[in-house]
């Protein structure tokens, strides 16, 4: 891991950009950490870190106030990373179907999501190895937000992740429902009831599939970008319970 820049934000949070191989990312650590702190992996949507930075840094600062370090990475094919022709075609097919008011087929969802999961999860694991080698980060580790299928796969294959906050706002391949049945860590799932890009019933079925003994579904009225402020507060309380 190579740190390429650093700055202190106005609340003292240390923000460092890094690269690990071809994977760029950002690490935020609390200003007053006197001992190794827990870590939350912030899953971004595949829209590019530059576009998503205001939302990500707001989440990071909120987490730092609770005593957590946070980190995010640029997903494959996003931001300044090399274009991925198959993913570009899948996104085009998705946009075309939605613009025409047509159902989004399983074939489109599989082509869009499954290769992304296969590429992104090993990258997250490699970044997690590097982050946990830093003296200021000690775990335990949580995963928050992002493409829900990536969160599902990480919850299944990565034992260092002990709790996850997931956002039911992206298309989920049918194969991921089977993986969801293997998830047993505590879950905090956020659902926007009127999310225009989300199949509400599929989101409810996915929640039902999780095998976690502790899982909670937090549904709020409104569309994809209408998440209320108090929803973030509830997620912070969830991580405080499980990472401290």
């Amino acid at each position: 891991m190579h740190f390429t820049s650093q700055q202190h934000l106005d609340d003292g949070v240390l923000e460092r950009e890094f690269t690990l191989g071809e994977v760029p990312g950002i690490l935020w650590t609390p200003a007053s950490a006197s001992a190794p702190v827990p870590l939350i992996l912030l899953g971004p949507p595949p829209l590019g870190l530059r576009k998503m930075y205001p939302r990500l840094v707001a989440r990071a600062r909120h987490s730092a106030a609770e005593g957590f370090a946070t980190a995010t990475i640029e997903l494959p094919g996003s931001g300044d990373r090399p274009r991925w022709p198959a993913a570009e075609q899948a996104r085009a097919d998705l946009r075309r179907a939605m613009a025409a008011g047509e159902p989004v087929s399983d074939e489109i969802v599989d082509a869009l999501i499954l290769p992304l999961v296969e590429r992104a999860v090993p990258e997250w694991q490699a970044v997690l190895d590097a982050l946990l080698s830093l003296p200021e980060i000690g775990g335990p580790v949580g995963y928050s937000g992002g493409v829900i299928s990536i969160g599902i796969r990480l919850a299944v294959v990565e034992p260092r992740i002990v709790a996850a906050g997931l956002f039911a706002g992206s298309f989920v391949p049918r194969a991921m429902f089977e993986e969801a049945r293997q998830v047993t860590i505590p879950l905090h799932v956020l659902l926007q009831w009127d999310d225009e890009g989300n199949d509400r019933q599929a989101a409810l079925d996915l929640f039902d599939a999780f095998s976690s003994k502790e899982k909670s579904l937090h549904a709020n009225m409104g569309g994809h970008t209408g998440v209320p402020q108090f929803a973030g507060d509830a997620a912070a309380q969830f991580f405080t319970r499980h990472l401290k």
Side-chain angles (χ1 to χ4, degrees):
M1 176 173 284
H2 299 283
F3 290 105
T4 57
S5 70
Q6 73 173 46
Q7 64 171 329
H8 284 279
L9 306 181
D10 56 17
D11 53 3
V13 173
L14 177 60
E15 176 184 281
R16 286 174 284 178
E17 296 186 7
F18 65 82
T19 59
L20 183 67
E22 65 177 26
V23 182
I26 309 173
L27 170 65
W28 294 274
T29 47
S32 58
S34 57
V37 296
L39 172 67
I40 298 176
L41 305 178
L42 296 182
L47 300 174
L49 291 186
R50 292 182 182 178
K51 181 176 182 178
M52 297 306 301
Y53 176 81
R55 288 170 57 183
L56 291 167
V57 72
R59 289 165 60 191
R61 294 170 86 155
H62 194 159
S63 296
E66 301 295 326
F68 302 125
T70 52
T72 192
I73 62 172
E74 190 77 85
L75 293 177
S78 297
D80 295 328
R81 298 189 65 179
R83 296 297 92 189
W84 186 2
E88 295 290 312
Q89 182 61 54
R91 290 191 188 104
D93 292 342
L94 173 65
R95 288 193 295 267
R96 186 161 45 247
M98 295 184 70
E102 299 172 353
V104 178
S105 69
D106 288 346
E107 290 76 13
I108 292 176
V109 174
D110 288 354
L112 182 68
I113 301 297
L114 292 178
L116 179 62
V117 172
E118 293 296 332
R119 293 192 184 195
V121 167
E123 291 183 350
W124 262 126
Q125 290 182 293
V127 168
L128 182 56
D129 288 341
L131 292 172
L132 290 178
S133 72
L134 299 174
E136 64 268 36
I137 297 176
V141 181
Y143 178 86
S144 175
V147 178
I148 194 170
S149 293
I150 293 176
I152 292 170
R153 176 67 61 81
L154 280 168
V156 172
V157 304
E158 183 46 73
R160 292 172 293 185
I161 295 177
V162 302
L166 303 176
F167 182 57
S170 56
F171 295 99
V172 181
R174 295 296 171 187
M176 298 306 301
F177 282 72
E178 290 304 314
E179 292 197 36
R181 293 183 173 88
Q182 303 175 50
V183 175
T184 58
I185 62 174
L187 296 177
H188 178 102
V189 182
L190 177 64
L191 171 65
Q192 286 300 102
W193 199 249
D194 304 305
D195 192 333
E196 57 279 3
N198 189 39
D199 183 329
R200 182 196 302 162
Q201 188 57 55
L204 295 173
D205 292 343
L206 180 64
F207 179 78
D208 191 50
F210 290 124
S211 295
S212 304
K213 291 183 179 179
E214 180 189 332
K215 59 179 181 179
S216 58
L217 179 67
H218 298 254
N220 296 289
M221 304 303 293
H224 187 78
T225 59
V227 180
Q229 177 63 43
F230 60 77
D233 297 337
Q237 292 169 5
F238 167 80
F239 283 115
T240 296
R241 288 201 310 274
H242 292 289
L243 300 186
K244 283 191 171 181

